[in-house]
Amino acid sequence: MGSESHRFVPQPRHHYWKITVLALGVACVVAVGLYQLAHLYVLNEAERNIQAVLLSHKGVHRYIQEIMHPAFYKLKAEGMVAEKFYAPEILSSSFMVRNQHRAYNEERKAAGLEEVYYKMAAINPRNPVNKADALEEKLIRMFNANKEVKKYREVVRIDGKDYLYVALPFLVNQQRCMVCHGDRQDAPLGLQSLYPGLGGFGEKVGDIRAIESIRAPMEHQYYLLYIVCASSFTGLLVLAGLLLFNTRLRDMVRARTEDLQQEVLERRRAEEEVRQANEELEARVEERTAQIAAANKELDSFAYSVSHDLRAPLRGIDGFSMALLEDYGETLDGAAKDYLGRIRAGCVRMGHLIDDMLQLSRLSRGEINRQEVDLSVLAGEIVEDLQHTAPQRKVVFEIAKGITVFGDAVLLRAVLDNLLGNAWKFTAKTPEARIAFGRREEGGKEFLFVKDNGAGFDMAYGDKLFGAFQRLHSSQEFEGTGIGLATVQRIIHRHGGTVRAEGAVGQGATFYFSL
C-alpha cells in the first residue's frame, strides 16, 4: 500500500547531541540571569533588614528629642530640675541609641548570630567613640554637598567575608538643636562643664552633623542565594534532560507508531486471508455436511434394508424349524430335535445382534440433547428393574447420592443400563455379590465408576473389551452379543469423555468414565 515510502527514519545520534548542547547553553544563560536577579534580590533584602534597624534607632532618637527633651526643659523651666543639671543617659539620644545597639549585639551573639556594626559617626563629636573614620568623614561631606543624596550602599570584604555597608544622613541641625550644639558660650552651663572642649559645638543650622553607619554580614543571605541558584540550575538541568528525553521519546513513539501501522496493515491482510480461508472452509463444511447428511440417509436406508433383508430369512429359518418340530417331532430322534433347537436359538441370537447393530448405528448419528441429568436416580431405577428380573438373587447395591451431570438423558441411561446390566450379569455366580456406583477424583478430574466383585477379566485382553462383538466369556457361560461396551464407549466419546476398565479374573471389574 506504499507505506514503506513513508517509513520513519530515526534521527542520527549527533542530532541529539545538538539538542543537548543547545539545552545546556540555554540553561547556563538562564542560570546566570537568575543568579544576577537573585543577587540583586539578596542585596535589597539585606538593605531592607539594615533599614529596619536604622528606622528603629531613628524612632528612638525622635522619641528622645520630641518627647523627652521638651518634657525635661519644661521641668527645668518650672524649677523642678536644677539649671546646671545634665546627664547623657537622659538627654543624649546618641548615647542612648549607642548603648541600645550594644545590648542588641549582645542578644545577637547569645543567639549565635554575628554582630552588626553600628556607629553614629560625626566629624566633631563630643564623645570620641562617635568620631568618623576617613570613609565616614568623606560621606558626611558628600551628603552635605549633595543634599539630594539620601543613601550610600556598598558591599565590602573584611577578613574574607562580605558585608553590606549602608550609610544614611542623620541629625540635620534644626534651630532648636543650636541650644546645645551652637556656640559654646550659649550652651547650658551644665553641658559646658561636662564637655570642656569644642566637640559637638559650633554647628550650623541645616548642616548634616552625623550619619548612621551600619555594616551587616552577608553570609546568611549568600547561603540562601546559593540554595536558590543551585536549585534553579538543577531544575534547568532537569528540564534540559526532560527536553532531550521528550525528543528521544517522541522519536521512539513515532517509530513505534510506524511499526504498529505496518503491523496493522499486515494483520488486516492476514485477517482478509483468514476470512477468505474461512469462507472456503465454510463452503467445504457445508458441502461435506450435505454429503454426510446424504450418507447418513443412505446408511439409514441401508440399515433398514439390512434389518429387513436379514430378519426375513431368519423368520423363515425359525418358522420352518418350528414347523419341523411340530409336524415331524414324533419321527425325529433326540439329536435332530437338539439341532433344530440350536437353529432356533441361533435365530434368536441373530435377531438380538441385528437389534444391537441398529442401536449402535443410531447412537453414532443421533443428535445429543444436553440437560441436567441425575445419574443417581437413573441408577436406582435400573437397579430396581434388574431386581425384578431375578428377585431370588441377593445382591448388595451401593448407589452414591446426588451425582448429577450435563448430558443426554436417554444416552446416559443406555450407559448405565449396559454397565449395571453387565455387573448384574457377571456377578450371577458370586455368592455375596456387591455392585457399586459412585465417583472419585483423579488428578483434579472427576470420574464416575461402576464396580462389581464378579467374574472379572484378564487385563491382558482389556483392549478388546470395547470392540463391537468382542467377548472374553463364552455365550454358554454368560449370555450377550458383545455390543454393550462398544455402545458405552461410543456414547461417552460423543459426550467428550473417556472410559476405561480395570479388573482381575475372579476378583471383579471396575469401569471408570468421565463426561
Side-chain angles (χ1 to χ4, degrees):
M1 299 178 65
S3 60
E4 294 297 331
S5 61
H6 296 87
R7 180 71 176 169
F8 173 74
V9 179
Q11 295 292 337
R13 188 175 297 273
H14 69 269
H15 171 74
Y16 299 109
W17 278 112
K18 288 182 179 179
I19 295 177
T20 303
V21 171
L22 178 61
L24 289 176
V26 172
C28 291
V29 171
V30 174
V32 171
L34 287 175
Y35 176 82
Q36 295 296 332
L37 291 174
H39 187 264
L40 181 60
Y41 174 79
V42 165
L43 288 178
N44 290 334
E45 283 296 308
E47 184 177 348
R48 275 194 287 270
N49 293 334
I50 289 176
Q51 285 177 346
V53 175
L54 294 177
L55 290 173
S56 175
H57 293 348
K58 195 170 184 179
V60 174
H61 279 289
R62 288 187 59 187
Y63 175 78
I64 293 169
Q65 294 173 1
E66 297 176 5
I67 304 297
M68 292 180 64
H69 283 181
F72 174 78
Y73 291 125
K74 181 180 179 182
L75 292 173
K76 182 182 286 191
E78 294 174 355
M80 298 181 68
V81 178
E83 183 67 28
K84 295 182 179 181
F85 177 81
Y86 181 83
E89 294 86 355
I90 298 176
L91 297 173
S92 176
S93 62
S94 60
F95 181 88
M96 294 181 190
V97 170
R98 183 172 63 251
N99 284 278
Q100 182 266 341
H101 190 81
R102 178 179 57 78
Y104 169 72
N105 272 333
E106 290 175 356
E107 294 295 330
R108 283 181 63 88
K109 189 174 181 180
L113 300 175
E114 191 173 349
E115 294 182 2
V116 175
Y117 168 85
Y118 173 78
K119 182 179 179 182
M120 192 186 312
I123 297 176
N124 184 31
R126 285 181 178 146
N127 192 332
V129 175
N130 295 328
K131 179 63 178 177
D133 60 20
L135 174 60
E136 292 166 339
E137 185 174 343
K138 179 181 177 182
L139 291 175
I140 292 173
R141 298 186 187 283
M142 185 268 291
F143 283 131
N144 276 308
N146 300 283
K147 297 294 181 60
E148 68 276 3
V149 179
K150 302 299 182 182
K151 176 179 65 175
Y152 176 82
R153 183 179 77 175
E154 180 184 7
V155 176
V156 297
R157 193 166 185 83
I158 302 174
D159 296 332
K161 295 183 178 181
D162 285 347
Y163 293 84
L164 179 62
Y165 175 74
V166 176
L168 298 174
F170 190 65
L171 294 179
V172 179
N173 291 322
Q174 306 293 328
Q175 185 63 45
R176 66 176 180 271
C177 299
M178 294 298 101
V179 175
C180 296
H181 294 281
D183 293 334
R184 179 180 173 80
Q185 61 272 19
D186 297 330
L189 296 178
L191 182 61
Q192 294 181 36
S193 62
L194 186 62
Y195 298 105
L198 295 176
F201 296 108
E203 298 291 342
K204 296 180 180 180
V205 176
D207 285 349
I208 298 171
R209 74 172 183 268
I211 63 170
E212 283 188 300
S213 179
I214 189 166
R215 185 174 65 237
M218 295 287 294
E219 183 177 2
H220 179 67
Q221 283 77 9
Y222 280 171
Y223 178 70
L224 295 177
L225 174 63
Y226 296 150
I227 292 178
V228 170
C229 290
S231 301
S232 301
F233 188 68
T234 301
L236 290 172
L237 289 179
V238 171
L239 288 176
L242 290 175
L243 175 63
L244 178 62
F245 176 75
N246 181 61
T247 303
R248 184 67 182 272
L249 183 62
R250 188 167 57 247
D251 291 342
M252 293 174 63
V253 169
R254 189 180 298 116
R256 183 55 182 158
T257 302
E258 293 289 339
D259 292 340
L260 290 176
Q261 290 176 347
Q262 186 65 23
E263 290 179 7
V264 168
L265 293 176
E266 293 176 357
R267 180 171 294 182
R268 287 178 179 174
R269 286 196 293 267
E271 290 176 352
E272 181 62 23
E273 293 175 358
V274 170
R275 187 187 63 79
Q276 294 177 358
N278 286 338
E279 290 179 354
E280 294 177 0
L281 183 60
E282 289 175 358
R284 292 179 182 178
V285 168
E286 290 178 358
E287 181 182 357
R288 184 60 178 164
T289 301
Q291 293 175 354
I292 292 174
N296 286 336
K297 186 175 182 180
E298 292 178 1
L299 186 60
D300 288 340
S301 300
F302 174 75
Y304 176 79
S305 299
V306 168
S307 174
H308 182 270
D309 293 345
L310 288 177
R311 289 183 189 278
L314 283 178
R315 285 195 296 270
I317 294 172
D318 183 58
F320 284 118
S321 297
M322 182 180 295
L324 285 174
L325 287 174
E326 291 177 353
D327 296 341
Y328 301 96
E330 296 179 355
T331 61
L332 297 175
D333 56 12
K337 292 180 180 180
D338 180 63
Y339 291 154
L340 289 174
R342 291 187 179 187
I343 291 173
R344 294 199 63 200
C347 290
V348 173
R349 186 165 177 271
M350 186 65 181
H352 290 326
L353 283 174
I354 293 172
D355 292 337
D356 290 341
M357 287 177 60
L358 290 175
Q359 182 183 10
L360 185 62
S361 175
R362 294 192 189 97
L363 291 176
S364 301
R365 302 190 310 277
E367 183 180 354
I368 294 180
N369 298 314
R370 294 183 181 272
Q371 59 183 325
E372 189 176 53
V373 181
D374 191 331
L375 295 184
S376 298
V377 173
L378 289 181
E381 295 174 354
I382 294 170
V383 167
E384 187 177 351
D385 292 340
L386 292 173
Q387 289 175 331
H388 286 162
T389 60
Q392 74 281 1
R393 288 188 59 183
K394 304 299 181 183
V395 179
V396 178
F397 286 93
E398 298 176 2
I399 308 298
K401 302 296 184 182
I403 301 179
T404 58
V405 296
F406 197 71
D408 189 295
V410 175
L411 297 180
L412 293 178
R413 183 181 182 92
V415 169
L416 292 180
D417 266 331
N418 281 285
L419 293 179
L420 291 172
N422 281 350
W424 175 267
K425 177 171 62 177
F426 288 107
T427 56
K429 299 179 181 180
T430 303
E432 297 180 358
R434 301 182 70 88
I435 299 174
F437 171 62
R439 56 185 166 191
R440 60 182 292 185
E441 188 172 321
E442 295 181 3
K445 187 175 182 180
E446 185 180 80
F447 285 86
L448 307 179
F449 66 85
V450 174
K451 182 178 181 180
D452 65 71
N453 61 344
F457 63 92
D458 189 346
M459 286 292 291
Y461 303 101
D463 57 339
K464 295 183 178 181
L465 282 176
F466 298 100
F469 308 113
Q470 297 292 328
R471 292 177 53 83
L472 300 183
H473 302 276
S474 65
S475 58
Q476 288 78 16
E477 187 178 7
F478 295 102
E479 63 179 7
T481 61
I483 293 296
L485 291 180
T487 301
V488 169
Q489 185 184 57
R490 190 71 57 85
I491 294 173
I492 295 300
H493 285 176
R494 292 202 66 193
H495 280 78
T498 59
V499 61
R500 74 177 194 277
E502 296 178 1
V505 177
Q507 298 181 19
T510 304
F511 290 85
Y512 297 95
F513 63 95
S514 65
L515 299 173

